[in-house]
Amino acid sequence: MPSPVLIAIDASPASHALLDLAHRYCRPGEHTLHVLLAIDATFAVHEQRTAYTEQELEEYPAACDEQQLAEHAVSNAVKTLREAGFDSQGCMVAAPPVEAIVAKASELECELIIIGHRHLSRLGRLLDPSISAKVIDRVQVPVLVGAA
């Protein structure tokens, strides 16, 4: 059975670098690649991908846009990985990123997590602690960190 690998992306163009890392270190047939994107729960209109009602679009335009962007990013990442020959699945969850990544990696019994890292100043890290560092501290599997 292929070994599961979790790729935690965001909706930025830098996520392509994480897909490239996965392609470099994983092999089709040996690894199943799971793409995860966590969004702020305040921007989650629906639990599952579904059409928005007129009322939702009027009342929550920013949330609808954010969720659509996230769903699109996951779909594109899965498509890219499948075109490269990988068995790949993806999901978007409404949860804090660290909790979502740790929970999904545990659920899937992943052998590796691939995650991005933003280059922040010391003050930036103090004000907005690193998600990748928090994940590393909470999991028992290797974490491959790519520059984002």
Side-chain angles (χ1 to χ4, degrees):
M1 181 161 98
S3 300
V5 173
L6 181 64
I7 307 169
I9 66 168
D10 59 18
S12 73
S15 294
H16 292 288
L18 299 179
L19 302 180
D20 291 341
L21 274 177
H23 193 261
R24 190 175 321 147
Y25 291 99
C26 300
R27 300 287 172 255
E30 292 179 30
H31 298 99
T32 300
L33 305 182
H34 298 268
V35 177
L36 172 70
L37 193 153
I39 64 169
D40 188 312
T42 58
F43 286 100
V45 181
H46 297 284
E47 295 273 333
Q48 303 292 329
R49 189 173 195 162
T50 187
Y52 302 106
T53 66
E54 283 294 321
Q55 182 180 1
E56 289 169 337
L57 290 168
E58 288 177 22
E59 289 185 34
Y60 312 111
C64 291
D65 289 346
E66 180 78 12
Q67 188 163 349
Q68 285 177 328
L69 180 64
E71 291 168 347
H72 185 69
V74 170
S75 294
N76 283 344
V78 169
K79 179 181 178 219
T80 298
L81 294 169
R82 286 181 178 166
E83 287 172 353
F86 288 97
D87 178 20
S88 181
Q89 301 168 14
C91 67
M92 188 250 356
V93 296
V98 174
E99 284 75 16
I101 295 165
V102 170
K104 189 57 119 174
S106 176
E107 172 191 328
L108 297 170
E109 298 180 359
C110 288
E111 81 168 25
L112 175 68
I113 299 171
I114 299 174
I115 190 170
H117 171 71
R118 297 175 292 147
H119 295 283
L120 300 173
S121 66
R122 287 184 189 170
L123 179 60
R125 282 192 300 273
L126 181 63
L127 297 174
D128 186 16
S130 168
I131 291 170
S132 58
K134 289 179 182 179
V135 168
I136 290 167
D137 288 341
R138 293 187 47 193
V139 297
Q140 301 298 314
V141 297
V143 178
L144 178 58
V145 180

